[in-house]
Amino acid sequence: IGIFLWFTPAISATSEKSASAIASLNAGTAAIQSGRALEAIDYFNTAIESNALSAEGAALAYHHRGIAHQKLGLAGHAVADYTNAIWQGGLPEAVLPRSYYNRAVAYAQMGQQDRAERDYDKAIELAPDYAAAYHNRANLRRHLGNHSASIEDYSRALELGMGQQEHLTYFGRALSQNALGNRPASLEDTSRALALNPDFDTARKALAEWSGGEQAPALAAVAPPAAMLADPIVTASIAPPSTNVQ
């Protein structure tokens, strides 16, 4: 599932050293936007090691480098970067919840589900309309067997709007409904998922099994492939600092 990139204008500087650091930060941002994660990391390393960025600039450099590491599948490195970004205390209000969200994704990839859930909680606390955070927390709770809580989260995500991923949210809720023995609700949600995405083969197979009067299949038997529902939705942020960074 793709990464969302959030842009703001490039920044200016008031000294030669800060100008060089900001140029590296902006170049790293551009590299991520172009899919060049390794190159981006080199730029962010240069910006961070310069010690010439403001608190906001340094926090964003760590946040952006975390995204680059996450794109490369380096969850541990990503966690360290997002943690540093948060600790800097300079992240813009729109980016801070995404740092917690992205770190939650990385923690989940590392099997640290408790930490992942706490970070999803924090992301939702900071941004109560963060639909993808509700969806991912629902996935996590469903995998842990907390189906009642996962249904609540899926429902909230749907209320807020999941856009093109809405079929995944409906089917996730269907899986939890089925696990609780609520067959009519699971069939309804699966039908909605298929109406939104007629090519959703896993949902089609689940609908055929569940509507055939057979015993409810085990969760693993109908779980979507990893690339569809088991993996979290990623909504990383790329945002250069504002023009007051020095």
Side-chain angles (χ1 to χ4, degrees):
I1 298 175
I3 292 181
F4 172 76
L5 304 180
W6 181 65
F7 310 107
T8 60
I11 62 174
S12 59
T14 58
S15 73
E16 183 176 346
K17 188 175 182 181
S18 66
S20 178
I22 291 167
S24 294
L25 176 53
N26 288 335
T29 301
I32 290 186
Q33 293 167 3
S34 301
R36 295 173 284 124
L38 280 173
E39 184 180 340
I41 289 171
D42 287 339
Y43 282 122
F44 294 137
N45 288 345
T46 298
I48 291 167
E49 292 165 6
S50 73
N51 293 317
L53 294 170
S54 69
E56 180 184 343
L60 285 167
Y62 279 114
H63 174 86
H64 294 6
R65 193 174 69 178
I67 293 172
H69 279 133
Q70 209 158 13
K71 280 177 166 285
L72 295 171
L74 301 173
H77 287 76
V79 164
D81 278 339
Y82 293 132
T83 300
N84 276 316
I86 293 166
W87 284 354
Q88 294 294 317
L91 283 174
E93 183 179 349
V95 180
L96 181 59
R98 293 187 182 278
S99 269
Y100 280 105
Y101 175 98
N102 293 343
R103 192 173 69 174
V105 172
Y107 274 139
Q109 291 168 340
M110 296 168 65
Q112 298 183 29
Q113 309 300 338
D114 289 343
R115 289 181 172 179
E117 185 168 12
R118 285 197 295 271
D119 272 359
Y120 284 133
D121 291 344
K122 186 63 176 180
I124 290 169
E125 176 189 330
L126 292 168
D129 60 348
Y130 204 159
Y134 284 101
H135 172 97
N136 280 15
R137 191 174 69 176
N139 278 351
L140 187 151
R141 289 174 168 177
R142 176 171 58 80
H143 287 302
L144 294 175
N146 190 356
H147 294 291
S148 295
S150 73
I151 289 170
E152 291 181 6
D153 276 350
Y154 285 130
S155 297
R156 182 58 178 151
L158 289 167
E159 289 173 5
L160 292 168
M162 286 298 297
Q164 294 182 353
Q165 310 299 338
E166 195 171 77
H167 63 290
L168 297 179
T169 310
Y170 273 117
F171 188 57
R173 192 170 69 176
L175 291 171
S176 281
Q177 295 282 15
N178 187 65
L180 292 176
N182 191 345
R183 184 61 61 86
S186 66
L187 291 174
E188 181 180 354
D189 277 347
T190 305
S191 296
R192 288 179 177 177
L194 282 169
L196 290 165
N197 183 356
D199 296 326
F200 197 173
D201 288 339
T202 305
R204 188 175 301 282
K205 291 176 182 177
L207 183 63
E209 291 188 48
W210 294 342
S211 61
E214 302 175 13
Q215 183 177 357
L219 183 63
V222 296
M228 300 194 72
L229 184 63
D231 283 354
I233 292 175
V234 178
T235 60
S237 295
I238 297 293
S242 58
T243 54
N244 62 358
V245 174
Q246 314 229 330

